[in-house]
Amino acid sequence: FSSTEPEVILDRCMSISATVVAVDSPCRWSQRGSSRLCERKLAEKKISCFSTPSRAKAENNDFYRWVFNGARLYSWLEPEYPLFGGQWSRGPMCIETFPYAVLRAINGSNAPAKPKAKVRRACLQKLGYDESKLRNIDFVDAALCAVAADRFFRNEFKPFGDNADEGFIIVPRSALWQ
């Protein structure tokens, strides 16, 4: 299944009775202006990711269109799948995740970032998934997001961040996060 329309994605999630929906896009804007706490916490673990600025700083920068698209998706999902804010009551929920952090959680601190598609496909294979029908890196990353959602559902996750105002990035529990 593939769609770029938030309402279609929401309908699909509801039609399959999804419990956890994982999204690879920032769920909130920075309150400080340059990055969110969850991104800085990942950086402390030597996991680099894009820094999400304040909404005001992003508005005139075309690079952040993908973040605005993600915000649109979250706004459609949140009435049915509330965004994780630090606690989960086992009901429907939406989480933010980051495929490279999922890869690092599974493969460890020496997991190379490149060649991106090959390394991420190997990670999925290591977990026992058949990745052969995933047509491109976007589908591979979506599968890694699904891994994060599954680990979240099983309470085998680590939230990076500490406030709902800037959001949390959810990754599988790992010895790296101890």
Side-chain angles (χ1 to χ4, degrees), residues 1-138:
F1 169 76
S2 175
S3 177
T4 58
E5 298 302 320
E7 60 273 21
V8 173
I9 295 169
L10 172 61
D11 287 345
R12 174 66 175 189
C13 292
M14 293 180 68
S15 74
I16 64 170
S17 300
T19 303
V20 180
V21 179
V23 178
D24 175 18
S25 180
C27 63
R28 298 285 186 250
W29 297 98
S30 171
Q31 301 299 303
R32 293 178 48 188
S34 59
S35 67
R36 301 178 300 147
L37 178 63
C38 52
E39 296 158 346
R40 294 188 302 275
K41 291 291 185 183
L42 278 176
E44 289 174 9
K45 300 295 182 185
K46 309 271 189 270
I47 297 175
S48 62
C49 60
F50 293 112
S51 294
T52 307
S54 67
R55 182 181 179 99
K57 285 187 178 183
E59 283 180 344
N60 295 318
N61 187 330
D62 282 344
F63 174 79
Y64 292 105
R65 279 188 313 190
W66 66 280
V67 181
F68 284 98
N69 288 339
R72 191 168 155 244
L73 175 58
Y74 283 112
S75 72
W76 275 88
L77 291 171
E78 283 190 77
E80 300 297 329
Y81 295 93
L83 184 62
F84 176 77
Q87 297 288 329
W88 184 37
S89 62
R90 308 282 304 169
M93 183 139 296
C94 182
I95 62 170
E96 175 186 345
T97 193
F98 179 47
Y100 180 62
V102 175
L103 170 76
R104 289 284 303 277
I106 303 302
N107 284 356
S109 61
N110 61 351
K114 296 185 179 180
K116 187 175 181 178
K118 183 177 180 179
V119 170
R120 293 180 186 194
R121 284 179 184 278
C123 179
L124 291 169
Q125 290 171 351
K126 176 181 178 178
L127 294 171
Y129 295 106
D130 175 10
E131 48 62 56
S132 64
K133 292 185 176 141
L134 302 175
R135 297 184 304 235
N136 59 45
I137 191 63
D138 293 328

